[in-house]
Amino acid sequence: MAVSALTDNPAQQGRWRKPGPAMVATLPLLLFLLLFFVWPLIGLLKQGFYVQGQFSLDNFLHLWDTPIYRIVLQNTFVIALSVTVGCIVMSYPLAWLMASVRPGTAKLLFFAVLLPFWSSALVRTTAWIALLQQNGVVNSLLMSSHITEQPIAFLYNFTGVLIGMIHVLMPFVVLPLYSSFRSMDSTLLQAAQSLGADSLSIFTRIILPLTRPGAVAGAIIVFMNAVGYYITPSLMGGPGQRMIAELISHNITDELNWSIAAALGLVLLLTTLLSLWLFNRLFGLDKLMAGSSGKGSQSVVVTQRSSGGRITVAAGILVALFLILPILIVIPMSFGTANFPTFPPAEYGVRWYANFFSDRKWTAALGESVRIGLMVTLLSMVLGATAAMGIHKLRSPRKSWLETLFIIPMSVPAIITAVSLYYLCGPLGLINNSVALILGHTVLATPYTYITLRAALKGFDPSLELAAYSLGASGWQMFRRVMLPALVPGMVGGAVFAFVTSFDDVVMSLFLTTIRNRTLPKLMYEGLAFDFDPTVISASCVLIAATAGILLAQGLIKRNGGKYAATAR
């Protein structure tokens, strides 16, 4: 990145703006993705077109003719659509409430959204399992209040999958909806109310049309994630809720049927790419990398005093509690001493924390996760930064194609990328030494570092660069004193995204590690899937604390980076 900046001076500006040098800067990430994303993907998916070494479409016909596969495909789309609709319905009152309250209250609501958003999906699934089990908090409250006389089966059915997946994916709708509400002109609502419009008319004729882009964008992202989801359905669902990702895993690990797994993978991949294409057609992928321009409306939606407004406020508060309470309740549960987690614990202690920090398998898994996370962060920052600088300077029709390739890995379901790398790296012996996992995590993490740095570069004022050169600054001085301070927030954000993406991953760890080098999320998954270990609850709280610490450190670094930038200028 520094080299790119150093070459961008008036004497070399014309040469740098030619495609050659800019393309060179994008080559590391391009070659990396071709080798460890595109090539493994092609190698796996082509297996779906072969039967006993002969080209055939029989595998796809088998998916259609076999009832179990048809049922699973139907389950996948029904669950994904249900989760998408649920996320939209529940996100509207919360996003409206966030945009209509005072800034201090809005910060609390943002905390309720962002803490689950940044917490591992496995942690959130763990929390819901503890809450929804037969002797969990929810059933205890229902029975103690005499609403029910016996426990309700919330887990291992459609209800459990719906609750778990909505909780994980809803922030993807809340955040774009909040932006839509913030950009809305509040005088339209006041005018409609003054003309006698009721709450329903205001919502259907003003709010819904103006916020539809944010809702649609969030819905597409949720659907893309939901169709390939693996962890929550496998832990909170039953046999009737099996989805494509779980069936892919079953065909590889249990049946050793790579052809059917590849055929299922292609169906899942095409569904995801179709959703990504739709997002691109409606909004453009460049929306993901838009830098902050500092423009736009700063108006705040005015809280309506009608009965509909009060109902919306109540609904928004309930949705915020839905997001934050599972994580907050699981914390005191982790301090219980019983062999099974309860809330509130009958007796408090640190029994399971002591087990977590004293048991060799837990500490080894934690150390492995940290080690791999740091290596992935370094690799993804180098690849993402050089690619972002190259694309920023590139003036070529190939730019849009390169950007699409750089972003696609974050949209492809992790199960497909994991199985593809397993297919490539297994015969090479790269599973036992974590090389395959580092490669896989880097494939997943680099798009996030690329996007954050592209956004930072788009928000960088080029006149500052020209002014520095006009005052006689060298390329290195310009980069160190002008460009670097402006890029620090993007670099910090990209590094945090990369580390958290690696540290929280479960799916790739299941396929690309062994019992000797398994990560903490994989060990937690085993503790939930096979024989419930209360240490998992304590491990979840350790991850929550680590996530909160990372976010706090990111905020402090950004603040200091802003002060440094102001001083440097």
Side-chain angles (χ1 to χ4, degrees):
M1 185 168 59
V3 173
S4 301
L6 286 171
T7 57
D8 192 13
N9 56 54
Q12 296 175 318
Q13 192 173 14
R15 181 172 62 85
W16 170 250
R17 291 190 179 276
K18 294 179 181 179
M23 278 298 298
V24 170
T26 65
L27 282 180
L29 180 55
L30 176 61
L31 294 177
F32 179 84
L33 292 179
L34 290 177
L35 287 174
F36 302 112
F37 176 68
V38 177
W39 179 251
L41 204 61
I42 294 174
L44 170 69
L45 296 181
K46 72 177 184 180
Q47 297 299 315
F49 294 95
Y50 286 89
V51 177
Q52 296 180 351
Q54 299 294 323
F55 180 84
S56 173
L57 297 177
D58 288 349
N59 290 318
F60 298 94
L61 295 176
H62 181 68
L63 296 182
W64 181 255
D65 294 335
T66 306
I68 183 61
Y69 291 117
R70 289 204 309 270
I71 293 173
V72 169
L73 290 171
Q74 177 181 335
N75 284 344
T76 299
F77 291 105
V78 169
I79 291 174
L81 288 172
S82 300
V83 169
T84 303
V85 172
C87 287
I88 294 173
V89 172
M90 295 181 67
S91 295
Y92 259 100
L94 178 56
W96 182 85
L97 183 62
M98 291 167 61
S100 61
V101 296
R102 296 178 179 178
T105 307
K107 289 181 180 180
L108 292 177
L109 293 174
F110 260 108
F111 176 78
V113 174
L114 294 179
L115 182 61
F117 181 73
W118 279 88
S119 299
S120 167
L122 184 60
V123 170
R124 288 176 276 176
T125 301
T126 303
W128 278 115
I129 290 175
L131 291 175
L132 298 178
Q133 58 192 341
Q134 284 195 350
N135 59 342
V137 177
V138 175
N139 272 313
S140 298
L141 289 175
L142 291 176
M143 295 176 66
S144 62
S145 59
H146 304 290
I147 297 177
T148 61
E149 296 182 356
Q150 57 185 1
I152 298 177
F154 289 109
L155 290 177
Y156 314 120
N157 51 34
F158 181 80
T159 302
V161 173
L162 201 62
I163 292 174
M165 291 182 65
I166 288 177
H167 187 265
V168 170
L169 297 175
M170 197 171 70
F172 288 105
V173 182
V174 173
L175 297 178
L177 264 182
Y178 169 77
S179 298
S180 296
F181 275 116
R182 287 286 295 177
S183 62
M184 185 186 302
D185 188 352
S186 59
T187 58
L188 296 175
L189 304 181
Q190 295 170 354
Q193 191 176 32
S194 66
L195 292 173
D198 57 16
S199 299
L200 182 60
S201 298
I202 292 175
F203 176 77
T204 56
R205 297 189 178 186
I206 299 177
I207 294 178
L208 189 60
L210 293 178
T211 59
R212 185 180 291 117
V216 172
I220 294 174
I221 295 174
V222 167
F223 183 81
M224 265 195 305
N225 282 274
V227 291
Y229 230 70
Y230 178 77
I231 298 301
T232 302
S234 66
L235 291 176
M236 298 184 67
Q241 290 74 47
R242 300 186 76 179
M243 297 179 69
I244 292 180
E246 191 175 354
L247 206 56
I248 292 174
S249 174
H250 171 75
N251 274 278
I252 291 175
T253 58
D254 298 332
E255 301 292 335
L256 299 179
N257 194 335
W258 285 90
S259 297
I260 294 297
L264 287 167
L266 182 58
V267 172
L268 181 55
L269 179 63
L270 291 177
T271 302
T272 304
L273 293 181
L274 179 62
S275 302
L276 186 63
W277 174 84
L278 182 61
F279 183 92
N280 184 42
R281 291 284 295 178
L282 292 175
F283 307 102
L285 293 178
D286 60 311
K287 297 297 183 183
L288 296 173
M289 296 163 287
S292 176
S293 62
K295 301 178 181 179
S297 172
Q298 296 298 319
S299 62
V300 180
V301 178
V302 177
T303 304
Q304 304 299 312
R305 300 301 180 183
S306 63
S307 59
R310 290 191 291 271
I311 292 174
T312 305
V313 169
I317 294 173
L318 289 176
V319 173
L321 292 175
F322 168 80
L323 285 176
I324 196 66
L325 274 185
I327 293 179
L328 296 183
I329 287 179
V330 82
I331 294 175
M333 291 177 67
S334 67
F335 288 96
T337 58
N339 291 329
F340 209 82
T342 57
F343 181 85
E347 183 179 352
Y348 288 90
V350 293
R351 173 187 177 185
W352 300 114
Y353 283 99
N355 185 65
F356 176 81
F357 288 107
S358 62
D359 192 327
R360 171 63 182 167
K361 70 176 182 181
W362 288 101
T363 55
L366 176 61
E368 187 72 8
S369 291
V370 172
R371 182 181 71 87
I372 291 174
L374 292 175
M375 296 179 67
V376 168
T377 301
L378 178 61
L379 284 173
S380 63
M381 285 299 296
V382 172
L383 294 172
T386 54
M389 290 294 294
I391 290 293
H392 182 65
K393 296 292 183 179
L394 188 63
R395 302 292 183 267
S396 169
R398 291 169 291 186
K399 179 177 179 177
S400 60
W401 289 97
L402 286 173
E403 287 202 291
T404 302
L405 176 61
F406 294 162
I407 294 173
I408 278 181
M410 66 184 290
S411 303
V412 173
I415 184 73
I416 297 179
T417 307
V419 171
S420 300
L421 281 171
Y422 182 72
Y423 180 81
L424 172 70
C425 298
L428 301 177
L430 300 179
I431 305 295
N432 297 327
N433 54 16
S434 298
V435 171
L437 185 61
I438 292 172
L439 294 174
H441 283 180
T442 304
V443 169
L444 288 182
T446 303
Y448 293 104
T449 62
Y450 170 78
I451 286 174
T452 53
L453 286 169
R454 278 284 286 135
L457 287 167
K458 282 192 173 185
F460 177 70
D461 187 354
S463 63
L464 298 175
E465 181 180 354
L466 297 176
Y469 285 134
S470 67
L471 294 173
S474 65
W476 170 247
Q477 287 176 324
M478 185 282 299
F479 175 77
R480 182 175 62 86
R481 301 292 299 273
V482 179
M483 182 174 285
L484 181 59
L487 297 181
V488 164
M491 295 173 66
V492 172
V496 170
F497 267 115
F499 183 82
V500 172
T501 298
S502 172
F503 193 75
D504 289 344
D505 171 72
V506 183
V507 177
M508 286 203 172
S509 299
L510 292 177
F511 288 92
L512 302 178
T513 62
T514 66
I515 194 173
R516 295 183 180 87
N517 62 338
R518 59 188 172 186
T519 61
L520 181 59
K522 179 178 181 178
L523 186 56
M524 291 172 61
Y525 178 86
E526 293 172 351
L528 289 173
F530 304 120
D531 185 19
F532 189 86
D533 184 352
T535 310
V536 173
I537 303 294
S538 299
S540 299
C541 292
V542 170
L543 290 182
I544 293 173
T547 301
I550 291 172
L551 290 177
L552 179 61
Q554 180 192 13
L556 292 175
I557 293 173
K558 280 188 174 182
R559 183 180 303 175
N560 293 335
K563 292 179 180 178
Y564 174 72
T567 303
R569 292 175 186 175

